[in-house]
């Protein structure tokens, strides 16, 4: 996890309300700060007086350690959002409660971050009392009616693709690397002339690029 304990105007000896942010598919806690201070949701909440914690789903850039297996092993990748919701979210929430001493926290989930929360809330109901409020951004409970042309095209061949990927020794989907890092630094900033990420996302998840920016900055889009 990562944490932004306070905003630019730090005031000592003040008990700040705690809020937990969980990212979406193929992302990390970085999605809450990439837009920089004043625009990234983590910074906005910290400046508003919150103690901000950001989780990471297993397997991403910041969550690749395991007690006994390595990311190079297929067994490392045998999980879905169910395991994230049943095991990982409760573990992160318990850690936050222990470190901060609060009785409950607020939760903000984006996309897969909401799916994992529904898993936790339904299979681990004892954690419902540890959440004072849940805010769902681009929530996904079921994927039966997904409209993405790419996903609808690949869906019927999922099992075949998985078999081929395993035969090739590839367990990780879209792994992070230097090329992706350099491309992200250049093209994924709001000020960039060409936002490649928007074009990719529009074909994968949604038809409207405008909605992506609104989802990344819900406080601004609500004004």
């Amino acid at each position: 996890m990562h944490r932004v304990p306070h905003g630019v105007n730090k005031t000592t000896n003040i008990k700040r309300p705690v809020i937990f942010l969980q990212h979406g598919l193929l992302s990390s806690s970085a999605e809450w700060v990439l837009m920089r201070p004043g625009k990234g949701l983590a910074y906005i909440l910290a400046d508003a007086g919150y103690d901000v914690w950001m989780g990471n789903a297993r397997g991403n850039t910041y969550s690749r350690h395991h007690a006994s297996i390595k990311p190079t092993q297929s067994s490392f990748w045998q999980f879905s959002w169910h395991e994230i919701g049943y095991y990982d979210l409760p573990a992160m929430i318990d850690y936050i409660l222990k470190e901060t001493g609060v009785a409950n926290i607020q939760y903000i989930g984006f996309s897969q971050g909401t799916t994992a929360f529904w898993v936790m809330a339904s299979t681990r109901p004892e954690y419902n009392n540890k959440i004072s409020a849940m805010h769902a951004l681009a929530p996904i409970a079921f994927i039966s009616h997904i409209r993405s042309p790419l996903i609808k095209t690949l869906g019927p061949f999922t099992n075949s693709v998985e078999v081929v990927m395993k035969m090739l020794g590839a367990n990780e989907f879209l792994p992070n690397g230097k090329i992706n890092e350099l491309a992200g630094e250049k093209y994924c900033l709001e000020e960039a002339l060409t936002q490649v990420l928007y074009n990719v996302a529009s074909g994968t998840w949604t038809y409207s690029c405008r909605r992506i920016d609104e989802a990344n900055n819900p406080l601004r889009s609500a004004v």
Side-chain angles (χ1 to χ4, degrees):
M1 287 187 290
H2 292 112
R3 183 185 188 187
V4 183
H6 55 77
V8 291
N9 298 318
K10 179 182 178 182
T11 304
T12 59
N13 301 323
I14 289 183
K15 195 72 172 181
R16 299 174 182 273
V18 180
I19 194 162
F20 177 68
L21 314 180
Q22 184 61 26
H23 62 78
L25 183 66
L26 303 180
S27 189
S28 71
S29 57
E31 77 178 22
W32 307 110
V33 297
L34 278 176
M35 299 304 290
R36 301 176 179 176
K39 294 184 178 180
L41 183 57
Y43 293 122
I44 293 173
L45 292 170
D47 289 340
Y50 286 91
D51 180 358
V52 183
W53 294 72
M54 297 166 282
N56 283 285
R58 62 172 78 183
N60 76 8
T61 302
Y62 306 110
S63 186
R64 303 178 66 84
H65 293 285
H66 191 278
S68 59
I69 54 180
K70 300 179 179 179
T72 53
Q73 299 174 268
S74 296
S75 54
F76 181 92
W77 301 99
Q78 297 305 306
F79 65 88
S80 69
W81 56 68
H82 181 86
E83 284 74 22
I84 295 173
Y86 190 85
Y87 297 107
D88 302 347
L89 286 187
M92 289 187 281
I93 290 171
D94 284 342
Y95 183 85
I96 295 172
L97 296 178
K98 179 181 177 182
E99 288 295 309
T100 61
V102 299
N104 49 53
I105 63 174
Q106 292 195 53
Y107 183 103
I108 295 180
F110 173 63
S111 189
Q112 181 185 264
T114 68
T115 310
F117 181 89
W118 309 138
V119 172
M120 182 188 72
S122 58
T123 62
R124 305 286 297 273
E126 65 272 20
Y127 279 86
N128 293 339
N129 290 331
K130 299 180 181 182
I131 306 296
S132 60
M134 190 278 191
H135 312 273
L137 308 181
I140 301 176
F142 302 97
I143 59 174
S144 305
H145 303 291
I146 194 168
R147 294 184 296 173
S148 162
L150 178 62
I151 301 301
K152 291 177 70 174
T153 301
L154 294 178
F157 307 101
T158 300
N159 292 335
S160 300
V161 172
E162 184 178 359
V163 171
V164 173
M165 294 291 283
K166 286 185 177 180
M167 291 175 62
L168 295 175
N171 301 300
E172 188 173 0
F173 182 66
L174 295 179
N176 195 23
K178 193 63 179 178
I179 294 179
N180 292 345
E181 181 181 335
L182 292 175
E185 291 176 354
K186 184 174 182 179
Y187 295 114
C188 293
L189 295 177
E190 184 176 311
E191 295 82 1
L193 295 177
T194 305
Q195 298 192 37
V196 176
L197 179 60
Y198 275 25
N199 295 325
V200 174
S202 65
T204 307
W205 291 289
T206 179
Y207 292 105
S208 173
C209 295
R210 179 179 60 83
R211 295 176 184 172
I212 299 175
D213 187 51
E214 291 177 354
N216 283 333
N217 201 336
L219 297 185
R220 182 176 61 189
S221 64
V223 176

